[in-house]
Amino acid sequence: MSYQNDLIIRAAKGEQVERTPVWLMRQAGRILKEYREVRARLSGFKELVETPELAAEVTIQPVDLLNVDAAIIFSDILVVPEAMGLTYEMVEKKGPHFPKTIETESDLTNLIIPDAYEGLAYTLDAIKITKKELAGRVPIIGFAGAPWTIFSYMIEGGGSKTFSKAKKMLYTNPMLSHKLLEMISDTTIKYLKAQIECGVEIVQVFDSWAGILSEEQYKEFALPYIAKICDSIEEVPVTVFAKGAYFVRREIGQLNCRTIGLDWNMDPIHSRELIGSNKTLQGNLDPCVLYSDFRTIEKKTKEMLDKFKGGPHIANLGHGVYPDIKPDAVRCFIDTVKTYS
Ligand code: CP3
């Protein structure tokens, strides 16, 4: 496939680029009224995720409306535990909820390592449709949650401030924990490979709750599984985003991935020292900067770009864009990146 705009792939590979590519985590979603309109016609979030034509439509919206340099396929990290056997509900204004969770060894026997083409066909179909409709305008980013983050939902049954139930499981039943993490990793590898077969050109692994673990726990229960995923995906560049895991940046820098996502607390210059010049860094503007006026957004974005000058960079926020941020503020961020030199 030849792309009209392949900046993100070249930047991920560490090749020379004319300018820094830019996209936003959670760009396909509630910041756009066009997304909310599509969503309002449906019973809920899950119906949108599971209807490939509509998932493709909202995947492309930010490419048309915000001019980002990549599309990220519209889905959720929670489709993986669902395909393994634990269904989720997306509760309006509250977030995800799993009616059944994993508590004992015997709960594991009800889980499967699904074939992605059976359990997750709707996302794969959405990728194929998006690919066709984009016709090479920009590449598509595929994604999955990192094993620890998925594990935490399967144990907790939803979001949490402390994730103490999931952490308790790591301390009290490391055998079960490793077994479940292994199953999640194997499912994720199959799923990412299927996404690549269907047309994504780059994949990102989201370890959203990385920062909740101690360094010791992260090294035992999170890193080895991310490493296994990175070692298994050779077809396209892999991005690892471990939010809050400032304490293992050096180790993450040694993974078999191309790009490392930084949150807004990870200083780009210090991170570059820890990670070295070989990898591409992605990030890391504080999403809350987008609540300020355009002059401030421009200033803070330029300051961020200056700090990433030491090596290959993909511009992004330090976490997902918040739903009440104005599209014009997002455009100001994107335009500032595109005109910076
Ligand atoms: O980035 C994109 O634009 C692609 C789509 C995408 C969604 N979720 C759509 C979504 C992606 C990449 C995700 C990943 C995801 N989902 C993560 C990792 C990234 C991160 O933010 O840390 C996590 C932790 C989840 C789990 C999840 N999904 C939560 C906690 C919630 C509820 C809170 C919230 O952010 O709304 C969701 C729901 C969700 N996923 C929505 C969207 C657009 C909102 C649902 C709606 O339309 O009402």
Side-chain angles (χ1 to χ4, degrees):
M1 181 112 211
S2 72
Y3 288 93
Q4 289 147 40
N5 173 351
D6 64 351
L7 283 169
I8 190 167
I9 299 171
R10 284 191 280 136
K13 290 180 175 167
E15 294 169 11
Q16 275 292 317
V17 283
E18 305 80 76
R19 65 165 173 83
T20 305
V22 56
W23 69 283
L24 283 84
M25 291 186 273
R26 299 298 200 100
Q27 67 188 20
R30 294 159 300 174
I31 55 162
L32 295 172
K33 75 169 187 327
E34 292 80 358
Y35 167 85
R36 294 194 300 267
E37 279 163 17
V38 174
R39 174 86 164 64
R41 304 203 299 261
L42 306 170
S43 62
F45 172 76
K46 277 186 91 168
E47 190 183 346
L48 182 48
V49 167
E50 291 164 16
T51 310
E53 293 74 19
L54 295 178
E57 182 182 337
V58 300
T59 298
I60 296 170
Q61 282 176 348
V63 180
D64 290 332
L65 299 165
L66 303 171
N67 268 312
V68 284
D69 292 310
I72 178 161
I73 192 66
F74 187 81
S75 186
D76 201 88
I77 62 169
L78 303 177
V79 299
V80 164
E82 176 154 284
M84 292 175 72
L86 285 191
T87 54
Y88 73 95
E89 296 161 359
M90 197 58 80
V91 186
E92 208 62 41
K93 297 205 162 66
K94 279 188 74 186
H97 171 69
F98 286 81
K100 252 188 86 5
T101 56
I102 302 297
E103 288 173 18
T104 63
E105 291 273 343
S106 75
D107 293 329
L108 292 187
T109 58
N110 298 320
L111 295 180
I112 57 163
I113 298 171
D115 179 326
Y117 288 95
E118 280 166 29
L120 294 157
Y122 50 83
T123 301
L124 301 175
D125 289 339
I127 292 169
K128 289 186 214 155
I129 297 170
T130 305
K131 184 87 172 172
K132 212 167 140 215
E133 291 184 356
L134 276 176
R137 283 170 64 199
V138 291
I140 308 170
I141 304 169
F143 71 90
W148 152 249
T149 289
I150 297 301
F151 173 97
S152 68
Y153 280 107
M154 293 175 88
I155 306 290
E156 294 277 344
S160 161
K161 278 210 170 82
T162 56
F163 287 94
S164 49
K165 258 176 104 177
K167 288 178 74 177
K168 174 182 171 190
M169 186 65 88
L170 301 182
Y171 282 118
T172 58
N173 200 338
M175 279 257 288
L176 181 156
S177 299
H178 279 297
K179 259 193 214 164
L180 179 53
L181 287 161
E182 191 79 46
M183 290 181 81
I184 298 167
S185 306
D186 292 345
T187 304
T188 302
I189 290 166
K190 286 173 126 188
Y191 181 41
L192 290 175
K193 283 190 179 286
Q195 291 185 42
I196 295 163
E197 284 159 12
C198 292
V200 309
E201 291 282 351
I202 181 165
V203 296
Q204 174 156 328
V205 178
F206 286 92
D207 209 355
S208 302
W209 314 136
I212 219 91
L213 292 181
S214 68
E215 180 175 340
E216 198 185 348
Q217 281 192 318
Y218 200 78
K219 286 180 176 167
E220 179 176 354
F221 295 102
L223 259 185
Y225 298 100
I226 296 181
K228 185 175 178 186
I229 294 169
C230 291
D231 289 342
S232 305
I233 306 290
E234 293 173 323
E235 301 86 339
V236 302
V238 177
T239 301
V240 174
F241 175 58
K243 183 169 182 295
Y246 63 89
F247 45 82
V248 282
R249 275 174 289 180
R250 202 185 289 278
E251 289 78 2
I252 288 177
Q254 282 155 14
L255 290 171
N256 212 344
C257 65
R258 270 302 326 157
T259 302
I260 293 157
L262 304 184
D263 68 40
W264 66 86
N265 282 324
M266 298 172 177
D267 177 66
I269 295 168
H270 184 220
S271 301
R272 182 56 81 190
E273 282 165 15
L274 293 169
I275 291 167
S277 57
N278 184 33
K279 304 274 189 195
T280 299
L281 298 181
Q282 176 174 277
N284 78 337
L285 191 74
D286 180 353
C288 289
V289 168
L290 301 188
Y291 289 120
S292 29
D293 57 83
F294 291 171
R295 267 192 53 199
T296 310
I297 295 172
E298 209 176 300
K299 180 166 169 279
K300 296 285 175 200
T301 302
K302 284 181 179 162
E303 283 170 10
M304 172 201 71
L305 290 162
D306 285 340
K307 289 191 197 156
F308 278 102
K309 273 198 164 141
H313 177 217
I314 297 169
N316 205 312
L317 304 178
H319 198 192
V321 62
Y322 300 130
D324 60 343
I325 284 174
K326 302 271 179 295
D328 278 341
V330 174
R331 287 188 194 100
C332 176
F333 167 66
I334 290 168
D335 293 343
T336 306
V337 176
K338 288 190 168 183
T339 53
Y340 175 86
S341 57

